[in-house]
Amino acid sequence: MRLPDEYEERGMGTPVIYTIVAVSAFILIILAVVFASNNGKKNSGNGVSGAVKMSPSPSPTEDVTFAEGQEDIEALYKEHKLRAEDLDFWDMYQNNDVVVEAVPTQSPSPEPSHEPTEEEMATDGKHVKITHKDGEEEWVNISDEIALSTYDFTNLKISGGKMAYYQDGEKKSWLGVDLSEDSGEVDFQVLKDSGIDFVMIRLGSRGYESGLISLDEKFVSNITAAQAAGLHVGVSFFSQAVNVKEAVEEAEFVASNLIPYQIDYPVAFDMEYIVNDEARIDSLNVDEKTQIAEAFLSTIEKEGYRPILYGNTDWLLGELVPDKLLSEYDIWLNDQSPVPEYPYQFKLWRYATQQQVSGVEKETSYTISFVDYTRK
């Protein structure tokens, strides 16, 4: 005995089979029409070159015997005048590559660079103006590779020409003067009692014309008396070396004359042009002066002393290649401006010249130190 559901399932299968058979027959008829049409085109291409045989298309009124199920296809074919090639729909899928013609893009033209004006450079914090020996002025870029000055100059206090630097109400500076045979007689005890902490004594120099090295006439007496009075001591050498060999010679001269003494402040390299006169170094270029300074400073360091590079803003930024020297060595800045324009870090600042100082016969210069070199 069959259940009612079984009759429904069997009954539903019969239409599906007929549908499949009908669709298959329809596809076969279409393929036959296309095949016949393509054969017709191939045959019409045979013949003498330049002559094309065309098979006549069947007239719409011509009587044709149709196979079962073919009537609708042929009627559609005649009504819309379809051609066999219109049914070659599979040709559409023979090449799936989509060719997209690239549209050339035009890169925007670079905007013209803006040359900053002098007013802009004076206030942008990225430039500093220097003056060369010939009087020509130049704005130079402030480098990101060199440590910038971190001093807050509002913390400076000056009393009777003597400067002090404070942080959080506490004094963080030491006061000194620089001395040479040009300073005349010096009473170092009076100097110390007046509030001076250290002295920078010129040890010697090289003649700017002769090229001869000489010891400062007052060096021995000055350093002996300064240390006896309890003052801290550093020394300087005035260089007119014209090559690296002479620079090393100068540094070794300094080291040999320091053997009897223990100093706790730096050894300074001082190279300058001679005002209103010609000098040995006038013909040197920037690279040569830089190599000479480097040779002196590095030799002093090898001898066990603390080297320091002396100069004003024009010299440090205009007469030397600054990147290495200003990064690796301490700077003794010579600048009498209320606030230095020199943008980088410095340890000593010669802030006032031609000063009358108690204990010194002739005029001298004040220097403030932001570093206690006795603890170095």
Side-chain angles (χ1 to χ4, degrees), residues 3-228:
L3 297 174
D5 290 344
E6 291 181 357
Y7 285 108
E8 285 184 15
E9 290 176 0
R10 291 177 181 272
M12 289 177 62
T14 302
V16 173
I17 294 173
Y18 286 135
T19 301
I20 294 172
V21 171
V23 170
S24 300
F26 176 75
I27 293 172
L28 289 175
I29 293 170
I30 292 174
L31 293 176
V33 171
V34 171
F35 181 78
S37 175
N38 285 340
N39 275 342
K41 284 195 289 184
K42 289 180 181 179
N43 293 332
S44 64
N46 296 332
V48 182
S49 176
V52 180
K53 294 181 181 180
M54 302 293 294
S55 15
S57 299
S59 172
T61 58
E62 185 177 353
D63 294 333
V64 181
T65 302
F66 301 108
E68 182 180 357
Q70 191 178 356
E71 294 87 355
D72 294 336
I73 300 301
E74 292 295 340
L76 184 64
Y77 180 85
K78 290 180 179 181
E79 180 181 352
H80 295 283
K81 299 182 179 178
L82 295 176
R83 296 171 299 171
E85 51 265 28
D86 293 332
L87 299 175
D88 290 343
F89 51 83
W90 54 79
D91 290 341
M92 298 170 57
Y93 304 96
Q94 290 181 359
N95 186 0
N96 293 330
D97 296 332
V98 179
V99 179
V100 179
E101 184 177 355
V103 179
T105 57
Q106 185 177 3
S107 57
S109 301
E111 296 182 2
S113 58
H114 169 67
E115 290 293 334
T117 65
E118 204 166 309
E119 291 76 13
E120 290 173 335
M121 289 188 288
T123 58
D124 64 5
K126 299 179 181 179
H127 299 84
V128 61
K129 184 165 67 173
I130 62 172
T131 304
H132 295 283
K133 182 187 177 185
D134 59 5
E136 181 181 353
E137 295 181 340
E138 178 187 2
W139 287 94
V140 296
N141 293 326
I142 297 175
S143 173
D144 295 331
E145 304 298 323
I146 305 173
L148 299 177
S149 172
T150 58
Y151 302 124
D152 180 358
F153 293 107
T154 62
N155 291 335
L156 290 172
K157 295 182 179 181
I158 299 179
S159 176
K162 297 176 182 178
M163 180 182 288
Y165 184 75
Y166 291 83
Q167 282 184 323
D168 299 326
E170 183 179 355
K171 184 181 175 183
K172 292 291 185 180
S173 64
W174 295 261
L175 187 63
V177 295
D178 46 290
L179 302 170
S180 69
E181 60 189 52
D182 299 327
S183 305
E185 296 299 322
V186 180
D187 188 328
F188 287 92
Q189 191 59 55
V190 171
L191 196 61
K192 180 175 173 59
D193 293 343
S194 69
I196 299 301
D197 301 302
F198 68 95
V199 290
M200 294 295 292
I201 300 173
R202 189 170 71 184
L203 182 146
S205 61
R206 185 188 289 273
Y208 68 87
E209 289 181 331
S210 66
L212 297 177
I213 295 177
S214 61
L215 192 69
D216 187 276
E217 291 180 0
K218 289 283 188 179
F219 170 69
V220 174
S221 61
N222 279 342
I223 191 171
T224 303
Q227 291 185 329

